[in-house]
Amino acid sequence: MGTTTRIRIPLRTHAFRLGAALGMMGALAYSSFVLEAFLHTGLSPLHSYVSELSVTGRPYAFLFRAGDITAGCGLLALAMALARRLPATRRRTSGCVALAVTAAASIGDGVWPMPCAPSLDPVCRATDSADLDQQLGQIHTLSSLAEFAGAILAMLLLSKVLQCTGHRSPARWSFSAGVATAALGALEIAMALTGVRWVGLSERAQVLLVSAWCAAMARFLMRIPPVSAHRHDPTAVPQRTSLTRFRRIQQRMFQRRGAPYRWPTATTGLTISLALAVRLREFRQAARSRR
């Protein structure tokens, strides 16, 4: 009868996959505004802000607010998984912290929604246009600014980390997404300050870009192989002993031949003898130099 071998998957690998799955779920929930194509919200996708979908009293406001909170929780799990999976550098730490800020700000958008809908309420639109300090004093406005600023920083910083680890294609995509998101954010601010009523188009493109980048990072986290622990070699010799020199010489010889280097157990006695001879010769030379 044949025997079946069960391969055990490390617990850390399951944690990475769970973080990637939650991150993918958060990326999809982050662009929950696409549901307005199937729901009657009464808002124009070209002229209204995405946050107007969550205004208290609007149709399906609870659904979109729940989407913001779900997206924040998923992106927070993605940031934690990336922080444990990518190499430990300052850019990785800063990039994952920026992504965590984006996640927390998304949760803040769901908890503290926009107070009114400027595209439908003339009084609300006039107040926002006339009193900029009042608009910046709203928690939702501050959380939205922190959300996109954190996303842009995360894209740019993690692109450098991916480039240093040899993942050039994800690094280029991350850097391009960061630049494009920053450009769309600047365009949206310019439209809001000049009174152009096409802010909905640029903001929705910006949200879709952030959502696509988060999904790409979650997919990248699923595809990269887990880091396996180094196995202990019972025949290995500590590097601080006299056998290290011969191990290096033999390793170079095997590498030149194109074969992987393995420590031969059969030649252990010969290697020890050669090591003792070399040590004795060095001791004699040192003694002669002292004389």
Side-chain angles (χ1 to χ4, degrees), residues 258-281:
Y261 172 70
R262 292 182 178 87
W263 178 251
T265 309
T267 60
T268 303
L270 179 60
T271 308
I272 294 176
S273 301
L274 292 175
L276 293 176
V278 171
R279 285 298 184 184
L280 182 60
R281 182 179 179 182

Side-chain angles (χ1 to χ4, degrees), residues 164-248:
C164 294
T165 55
H167 302 89
R168 297 182 178 179
S169 180
R172 288 194 295 266
W173 155 244
S174 182
F175 181 79
S176 302
V179 174
T181 304
L184 289 173
L187 179 62
E188 180 186 351
I189 294 175
M191 288 182 178
L193 294 178
T194 55
V196 179
R197 299 187 59 186
W198 291 82
V199 292
L201 183 61
S202 61
E203 187 181 13
R204 281 163 174 77
Q206 188 180 17
V207 173
L208 280 177
L209 190 56
V210 175
S211 180
W213 177 80
C214 293
M217 295 303 296
R219 182 173 178 269
F220 167 78
L221 194 61
M222 291 180 179
R223 295 184 61 182
I224 54 179
V227 180
S228 58
H230 297 285
R231 295 181 179 179
H232 176 67
D233 188 2
T235 61
V237 181
Q239 294 184 357
R240 294 185 179 180
T241 62
S242 59
L243 304 183
T244 305
R245 181 179 305 175
F246 292 95
R247 290 191 65 190
R248 292 177 181 175

Side-chain angles (χ1 to χ4, degrees), residues 22-34 50 68 71-72 74-76 78 82 95 98-106 109 143-156 158 173-186 188 201-219:
L22 292 176
M24 185 67 71
M25 180 185 66
L28 294 177
Y30 192 81
S31 56
S32 60
F33 71 91
V34 297
V50 176
D68 292 337
L75 296 186
L76 184 60
L78 178 62
L82 288 173
L99 182 57
V101 170
T102 301
S106 180
D109 288 345
S143 63
S144 298
L145 292 176
E147 181 178 350
F148 286 107
I152 294 170
L153 289 177
M155 293 174 181
L156 298 179
L158 293 182
W173 155 244
S174 182
F175 181 79
S176 302
V179 174
T181 304
L184 289 173
E188 180 186 351
L201 183 61
S202 61
E203 187 181 13
R204 281 163 174 77
Q206 188 180 17
V207 173
L208 280 177
L209 190 56
V210 175
S211 180
W213 177 80
C214 293
M217 295 303 296
R219 182 173 178 269

